[in-house]
Amino acid sequence: MSVETEIEKTELGKATRRIEAGDYEEAKRIYCELILKGTKNHIVYGNLGALYAKDESWRKVIECLKVALKIKQSYIEAICNLGIAYKAIGEFDNAINLYLKSNKLNGYNANISYNLGNIYMHLNLYSLAIDAYNRSITIKPDYIEAYLNLGNAYKKSMDEDKAIKMYKTAVEKDSNFYPALVNIGNILMKKGLLHQSIEYYEMALNSNPGIVDIYNNIGSIYRKLGNLKEAEKWYKNGLLIDKDEYRILSNLGLIKKDLGLQNEAMKYYKKSLEKKPNEAYTLANIGELLHAKRKYKKAIDFYNKALSADSNMDSVTASVINCECNICDWSMLNERRKWTNKLLSRKTIISPLYILSICDSPEVQKKVSENLCAKYKITGENIAIKIKNKIRIGYISANFNEHPVSNFLLDILCHHDKSRYEIYCYSIGYARIDKKTDLIKDNSTNFKDLKDMSEDLIVDTIRKDSIDIAIDLMGHTSSSQMGIFYKKIAPIQITYLGYPGTTGAQCFDYLISDRIIIPKKYQSNYTEKIIYLPNYFYFDNPKDTNNSINIKEKLGLSKETFIYGCFNSNYKITDLEFDVWMRILSSTEDSVLWLISSNDDVIRNLKDQAESRGVKKERVIFSAKTTLEKHIERSKCADIFLDTFSYNAFITSWISLKVGVPLLTLQGRSFAARVGSSLLSTLDLEELICYNKEEYFEKACTFCKDKNQLEKIVIKLFNSLSKKNIGCEDYVRLLEKRFYGLVEEKKNKN
């Protein structure tokens, strides 16, 4: 035990005053001078070690504190600081042994137990950390930092309820202890308890208004709730604290994108990159914006930059796949398929829509959809059916305009029995308003534009209408709002038309299909119960085809040229189809392949692919997209429609069949790969359903070489189209019969 001399007391006083003044170098000089004079005072060595710790001169810290502990073995402050120094240089065993030895010699100490817990946390030894923090709290019940770290240990151990309990205990002991408030907010945000999360974040801001992360988090919550104006306000308030906060700048870009202000979104993204040039999420956001603008090659460049910064961004990889498919760039397609096949055993969160054209596995599609929906929780209570004069059906979509789904839906709306059903249409997106929008409004009992509403307000609005059946027309397509269905907007919730597969969502009771698209053996790959219709599609009477010759001449083709058409979106075309199509052209004279182009890269890439397979590029012809009416007219020109494989044609083949153009399809396993089979089965044209690529090839060639056989198929097609039992009116009566049964069943369960 050292005894301070009067001189030492004076010098220690001077050093203390220098430390208080922030003059650490002068304090060090005083302590070093005392050591040179041979002091045996443990405080000198302890304080000098603490000053070296400020410079992170850990070896000097260890040297000083070891001497201090030789002088006084029970010097607790030195033991704590020496352990911290060992931890800083990675000598964890030395730190642990030091603390455990102290426990034996000096008894348990709150600070030493706390530091020991910190080391165990660093080593991911959470159960040992929990024991250490609990011991610290037992010794020192008001040790709020120990409660905080104990909460962190429980959180790491996946026991978030206990974590919140510890954080709340810390707050009870100090209501201004904002780190605990922030952590509670973070957990509640993760749990989807968004409004509660905001409450704790705001409490934290009351204690410390300068935490920029909180402004970012609250902004993100309001964006998730669909309240874009409130989200923008919080993000901008965050910038008042730190104008260079790159995450907030990027998130403001997302807000502008959500509002349809793409140019403003790009400005914010670029500002964010100026602050942090290689930030993966901002690069990905720019890629997403370019993707939406259909600038696929530029989007790929930014997506790849994002992946270079963070190779684990699976959603970005999926976006690259979709962009490559949109320009028919197949250079990486085999690698993309291998990556997709591995998704069955992973918790990857991506858009399942982006893999449909290269993945015909209903098992993988279900897994990916479930992964995407895992972030949601059912938060709304079950709604009982209210007795009314009419059943109320609500259709929810972001595409109530000129869009394939609306083209099919419009006749359904027209034929609904308005004496028994009230039809509500809820528009939730920023899609342009056009003539089709007006027709949908005219054929609805009530049309409501909800695009500027928050998610909660959308839910409240629809609930107030007492809808009996809510029908989602979006699935996992762009601008969908899955969250509103998890909050329960109707007693019965159905997904239909918009997405060709299971949503993987627990919020939907039913999915509408037929037994061709989803046979019994594949039902386990769908999370929804299946409402089976006799046929998924309706067909009206055949359309006039007198103008096909004139249109053929406009395409610069001879009257005798045989046209294989495929009016599918380009992203559905892969090397598998194209290989067979080129074999077909090589085996048939005076034939061409007629495609629709969405961009110049598609034309260039597919013509190059044709020549690489020995087919002259002039035999692959393209037309630009046009209005529905003009497309219907020109589609009559094709002799036969060649379907794509993994992702069949939907409305385009439905239109072609209605004007008398036969469809040749290859049946797969997933929903998207069986739609062609459903269409043909409805028309009693099962002979056009193929089960392998060779059969597909041979039949396609036969129809070109034997026009009589093709003519028989066309006559059979027109005869089938004349059937009354596949028209839209009969289709809607069957649909309504199913809806009525569901409502009655639900009433009986009330």
Side-chain angles (χ1 to χ4, degrees):
M1 180 114 181
S2 65
V3 178
E4 292 180 3
T5 66
E6 287 301 320
I7 295 175
E8 281 183 344
K9 283 183 181 180
T10 301
E11 293 302 303
L12 285 172
K14 286 181 183 178
T16 300
R17 288 191 292 274
R18 297 326 304 155
I19 291 170
E20 289 172 351
D23 190 354
Y24 302 133
E25 292 304 314
E26 178 60 17
K28 282 182 194 175
R29 188 196 65 75
I30 294 170
Y31 290 138
C32 288
E33 199 171 276
L34 287 171
I35 290 170
L36 287 173
K37 291 178 180 178
T39 184
K40 298 297 182 183
N41 191 325
H42 62 282
I43 293 174
V44 172
Y45 287 97
N47 287 359
L48 181 58
L51 287 172
Y52 282 133
K54 291 182 181 293
D55 302 333
E56 297 185 0
S57 302
W58 300 114
R59 292 296 177 187
K60 289 182 179 180
V61 173
I62 292 168
E63 182 183 340
C64 289
L65 296 181
K66 279 184 174 180
V67 176
L69 288 171
K70 280 183 181 179
I71 298 169
K72 185 179 180 181
Q73 199 172 25
S74 62
Y75 188 8
I76 297 300
E77 188 177 349
I79 294 170
C80 288
N81 290 341
L82 180 56
I84 291 170
Y86 281 137
K87 177 175 177 283
I89 63 173
E91 294 184 5
F92 303 112
D93 288 343
N94 282 341
I96 292 170
N97 290 334
L98 173 72
Y99 289 148
L100 294 177
K101 183 179 177 181
S102 175
N103 287 339
K104 287 182 180 180
L105 293 174
N106 306 311
Y108 290 113
N109 175 274
N111 290 335
I112 287 177
S113 295
Y114 174 79
N115 286 355
L116 184 59
N118 291 346
I119 293 171
Y120 286 140
M121 279 288 285
H122 185 81
L123 297 173
N124 300 327
L125 300 171
Y126 303 125
S127 60
L128 291 175
I130 288 168
D131 289 342
Y133 291 134
N134 273 320
R135 190 177 299 115
S136 178
I137 289 165
T138 301
I139 300 166
K140 187 179 177 182
D142 292 332
Y143 202 161
I144 58 173
E145 291 81 8
Y147 282 108
L148 178 72
N149 284 5
L150 178 56
N152 294 341
Y154 279 126
K155 183 182 175 185
K156 289 286 188 180
S157 301
M158 308 306 291
D159 193 341
E160 292 181 336
D161 291 336
K162 281 188 179 178
I164 288 177
K165 185 178 179 181
M166 293 304 108
Y167 296 144
K168 285 184 175 180
T169 303
V171 173
E172 287 170 7
K173 295 181 180 300
D174 182 353
S175 60
N176 292 318
F177 190 50
Y178 66 85
L181 292 166
V182 171
N183 286 357
I184 295 171
N186 291 342
I187 291 178
L188 293 173
M189 184 179 177
K190 181 184 173 186
K191 283 175 171 282
L193 302 172
L194 303 181
H195 293 290
Q196 293 180 43
S197 176
I198 289 172
E199 288 178 16
Y200 278 94
Y201 283 144
E202 288 182 336
M203 288 166 63
L205 286 178
N206 287 336
S207 299
N208 186 348
I211 311 172
V212 72
D213 284 352
I214 295 181
Y215 293 93
N216 187 48
N217 288 356
I218 294 178
S220 297
I221 288 172
Y222 278 116
R223 178 173 181 256
K224 191 175 290 187
L225 291 171
N227 192 338
L228 301 182
K229 290 181 180 177
E230 192 68 15
E232 184 175 6
K233 183 189 84 174
W234 279 94
Y235 286 142
K236 287 186 174 179
N237 285 342
L239 289 182
L240 294 176
I241 294 169
D242 183 356
K243 63 181 176 59
D244 295 330
E245 174 46 58
Y246 67 92
R247 290 169 301 173
I248 290 182
L249 289 166
S250 189
N251 286 339
L252 275 167
L254 289 174
I255 294 293
K256 296 301 182 184
K257 183 209 74 170
D258 293 343
L259 291 169
L261 304 171
Q262 294 183 335
N263 292 336
E264 288 189 41
M266 186 64 80
K267 288 178 183 177
Y268 276 112
Y269 291 149
K270 288 182 176 179
K271 282 182 182 178
S272 179
L273 281 185
E274 287 173 8
K275 309 306 176 187
K276 192 172 182 183
N278 294 316
E279 170 52 34
Y281 284 99
T282 305
L283 291 166
N285 287 343
I286 293 176
E288 184 182 17
L289 197 61
L290 293 166
H291 192 161
K293 289 183 172 184
R294 299 183 180 180
K295 296 181 179 181
Y296 300 115
K297 290 184 80 171
K298 288 184 177 180
I300 290 170
D301 288 341
F302 276 94
Y303 282 144
N304 283 333
K305 287 177 183 177
L307 289 170
S308 295
D310 183 354
S311 60
N312 295 316
M313 298 176 74
D314 290 326
S315 62
V316 176
T317 300
S319 295
V320 172
I321 290 172
N322 183 255
C323 285
E324 290 172 344
C325 288
N326 268 293
I327 60 174
C328 294
D329 176 356
W330 304 327
S331 57
M332 294 288 292
L333 201 48
N334 287 333
E335 293 301 314
R336 303 305 188 199
R337 288 192 177 103
K338 290 176 185 176
W339 180 84
T340 303
N341 290 337
K342 294 176 182 177
L343 296 177
L344 190 59
S345 59
R346 297 170 61 188
K347 294 184 178 180
T348 301
I349 298 176
I350 64 170
S351 170
L353 185 68
Y354 285 177
I355 63 169
L356 294 185
S357 61
I358 65 169
C359 175
D360 182 28
S361 167
E363 295 84 6
V364 169
Q365 291 175 20
K366 180 187 178 186
K367 175 68 173 175
V368 171
S369 292
E370 287 179 323
N371 289 346
L372 186 61
C373 290
K375 62 185 176 183
Y376 296 107
K377 297 288 184 294
I378 299 288
T379 56
E381 296 181 359
N382 287 329
I383 302 172
I385 296 279
K386 293 183 180 178
I387 305 301
K388 300 181 288 292
N389 292 330
K390 299 178 184 179
I391 291 174
R392 292 183 182 176
I393 300 171
Y395 291 98
I396 295 94
S397 177
N399 300 311
F400 286 131
N401 57 355
E402 191 61 61
H403 185 276
V405 170
S406 291
N407 292 336
F408 187 82
L409 179 70
L410 181 57
D411 280 348
I412 294 175
L413 297 179
C414 291
H415 285 93
H416 266 307
D417 183 352
K418 307 299 194 304
S419 68
R420 299 178 63 218
Y421 295 88
E422 292 183 4
I423 308 303
Y424 286 69
C425 288
Y426 299 100
S427 179
I428 57 171
Y430 284 88
R432 70 189 183 283
I433 295 172
D434 55 25
K435 292 180 181 178
K436 189 60 60 72
T437 311
D438 293 334
L439 288 171
I440 290 170
K441 287 180 180 179
D442 292 342
N443 287 280
S444 305
T445 309
N446 205 318
F447 184 97
K448 295 190 176 182
D449 187 348
L450 312 182
K451 66 176 180 294
D452 290 321
M453 291 187 183
S454 67
E455 187 175 278
D456 285 342
L457 193 52
I458 290 173
V459 171
D460 289 342
T461 300
I462 298 176
R463 279 183 183 169
K464 285 176 182 176
D465 289 334
S466 296
I467 297 299
D468 297 304
I469 301 175
I471 301 177
D472 162 56
L473 298 172
M474 301 296 293
H476 290 302
T477 57
S478 177
S479 300
S480 66
Q481 290 204 34
M482 196 74 72
I484 67 174
F485 293 95
Y486 272 89
K487 292 179 179 179
K488 293 287 186 181
I489 56 175
I492 299 164
Q493 300 189 151
I494 298 172
T495 184
Y496 177 48
L497 289 179
Y499 176 74
T502 182
T503 61
Q506 299 304 311
C507 59
F508 291 114
D509 306 298
Y510 301 98
L511 179 151
I512 297 173
S513 183
D514 63 27
R515 295 187 185 278
I516 302 297
I517 293 175
I518 308 177
K520 187 175 181 179
K521 64 181 179 179
Y522 292 142
Q523 281 181 2
S524 62
N525 296 311
Y526 295 80
T527 55
E528 308 86 353
K529 293 178 183 177
I530 311 302
I531 297 173
Y532 280 114
L533 298 177
N535 41 277
Y536 190 65
F537 293 89
Y538 62 82
F539 285 93
D540 297 314
N541 290 328
K543 306 297 182 183
D544 174 55
T545 61
N546 292 334
N547 296 324
S548 60
I549 300 297
N550 292 334
I551 295 173
K552 191 178 263 193
E553 289 174 356
K554 286 181 181 179
L555 289 170
L557 302 171
S558 70
K559 193 174 179 180
E560 291 75 26
T561 300
F562 191 92
I563 299 179
Y564 293 102
C566 179
F567 307 131
N568 258 343
S569 296
N570 300 139
Y571 65 83
K572 297 183 180 181
I573 303 171
T574 72
D575 55 346
L576 300 181
E577 294 91 347
F578 206 74
D579 283 344
V580 179
W581 294 348
M582 293 304 99
R583 282 180 61 208
I584 293 168
L585 291 186
S586 296
S587 301
T588 55
E589 295 180 2
D590 196 13
S591 63
V592 295
L593 176 65
W594 182 22
L595 305 172
I596 304 300
S597 66
S598 61
N599 56 81
D600 292 339
D601 291 311
V602 163
I603 298 173
R604 182 166 49 254
N605 287 339
L606 289 184
K607 284 184 176 291
D608 288 346
Q609 290 287 346
E611 292 200 321
S612 72
R613 289 165 173 80
V615 175
K616 289 183 178 180
K617 62 183 180 182
E618 291 79 15
R619 295 184 69 187
V620 181
I621 60 176
F622 292 88
S623 291
K625 291 184 177 182
T626 187
T627 63
L628 177 64
E629 291 76 15
K630 289 181 180 179
H631 175 70
I632 291 172
E633 192 62 32
R634 73 182 180 184
S635 65
K636 303 170 187 177
C637 184
D639 291 292
I640 193 164
F641 190 123
L642 295 179
D643 206 357
T644 42
F645 297 166
S646 290
Y647 199 161
N648 291 173
F650 280 56
I651 301 304
T652 51
S653 56
W654 175 67
I655 289 170
S656 292
L657 285 164
K658 288 204 298 179
V659 298
V661 178
L663 170 72
L664 187 67
T665 194
L666 175 62
Q667 188 177 100
R669 298 175 65 241
S670 65
F671 190 122
R674 300 177 68 87
V675 167
S677 299
S678 171
L679 286 161
L680 293 170
S681 296
T682 300
L683 296 167
D684 298 327
L685 290 170
E686 286 86 352
E687 61 266 48
L688 295 178
I689 301 172
C690 304
Y691 298 93
N692 58 66
K693 287 187 281 188
E694 200 57 35
E695 181 186 7
Y696 183 98
F697 164 75
E698 289 175 358
K699 285 187 176 180
C701 292
T702 298
F703 289 132
C704 179
K705 295 174 181 178
D706 187 346
K707 303 296 191 298
N708 290 332
Q709 192 164 339
L710 178 61
E711 187 176 350
K712 289 178 183 178
I713 290 291
V714 173
I715 291 170
K716 187 176 179 181
L717 168 58
F718 278 113
N719 288 336
S720 293
L721 287 170
S722 299
K723 287 182 183 178
K724 292 183 179 179
N725 63 348
I726 60 172
C728 187
E729 186 171 355
D730 292 311
Y731 180 91
V732 174
R733 294 293 84 78
L734 284 167
L735 198 60
E736 290 176 345
K737 184 179 178 181
R738 298 288 192 274
F739 292 163
Y740 178 81
L742 293 175
V743 170
E744 289 301 304
E745 182 183 345
K746 191 74 174 179
K747 282 181 184 176
N748 293 333
K749 290 181 179 179
N750 283 353

